[in-house]
Amino acid sequence: MPAPTIPASRWKGAATWSWTGITPPARFWTVTLYDPDGRLVPNGIGRHAFTSQELVRRSDGRLEIVVSPRARPGNWLPTGGIERYQLVLRLYDTPVGVATRAGRERPMPAIIRKACP
């Protein structure tokens, strides 16, 4: 089941979001945090992305990346406090394709708002 699309008007920079689930099959993938102009988001720890090889997975094999302005345990992507940002998932060497519509029903992680001050 594909993850739902969240309208940009519902994203809040001060909120804590969780990107949770499994990714489609791929030899390698990255998820990167960008500002609305496509630049890496500056933050105090210099973390802008996770790769499939460095991510710490839960015991059931699922992943969770927490996107938040405040430090969180586990796989944390800091937003640096900016109001708007975007997450970009890149799949490398994968049977999933837009042009061929292959893998249209492949699982995608869900994006869930955890907390919003």
Side-chain angles (χ1 to χ4, degrees), residues 4-41:
T5 300
I6 298 174
S9 61
R10 290 190 46 206
W11 286 93
K12 304 271 189 219
T16 296
W17 297 86
S18 174
W19 193 70
T20 307
I22 58 174
T23 58
R27 184 178 303 235
F28 183 78
W29 59 261
T30 62
V31 61
T32 308
L33 182 69
Y34 293 103
D35 71 14
D37 296 321
R39 295 183 301 251
L40 295 173
V41 173

Side-chain angles (χ1 to χ4, degrees), residues 36-83:
D37 296 321
R39 295 183 301 251
L40 295 173
V41 173
N43 61 71
I45 65 168
R47 160 111 14 227
H48 305 102
F50 280 100
T51 71
S52 54
Q53 296 177 342
E54 67 186 345
L55 188 79
V56 177
R57 293 182 182 271
R58 298 189 314 204
S59 61
D60 64 1
R62 294 179 160 308
L63 62 89
E64 180 177 29
I65 297 174
V66 177
V67 183
S68 174
R70 287 170 297 288
R72 299 288 187 239
N75 303 310
W76 170 52
L77 274 179
T79 64
I82 65 172
E83 181 60 27

Side-chain angles (χ1 to χ4, degrees), residues 60-115:
D60 64 1
R62 294 179 160 308
L63 62 89
E64 180 177 29
I65 297 174
V66 177
V67 183
S68 174
R70 287 170 297 288
R72 299 288 187 239
N75 303 310
W76 170 52
L77 274 179
T79 64
I82 65 172
E83 181 60 27
R84 295 178 53 127
Y85 52 84
Q86 55 191 338
L87 286 174
V88 176
L89 172 65
R90 292 182 180 89
L91 304 171
Y92 299 91
D93 195 13
T94 178
V96 178
V98 175
T100 62
R101 296 186 184 263
R104 193 170 169 90
E105 300 300 320
R106 299 289 182 165
M108 292 294 288
I111 300 171
I112 303 162
R113 185 169 60 185
K114 302 284 259 185

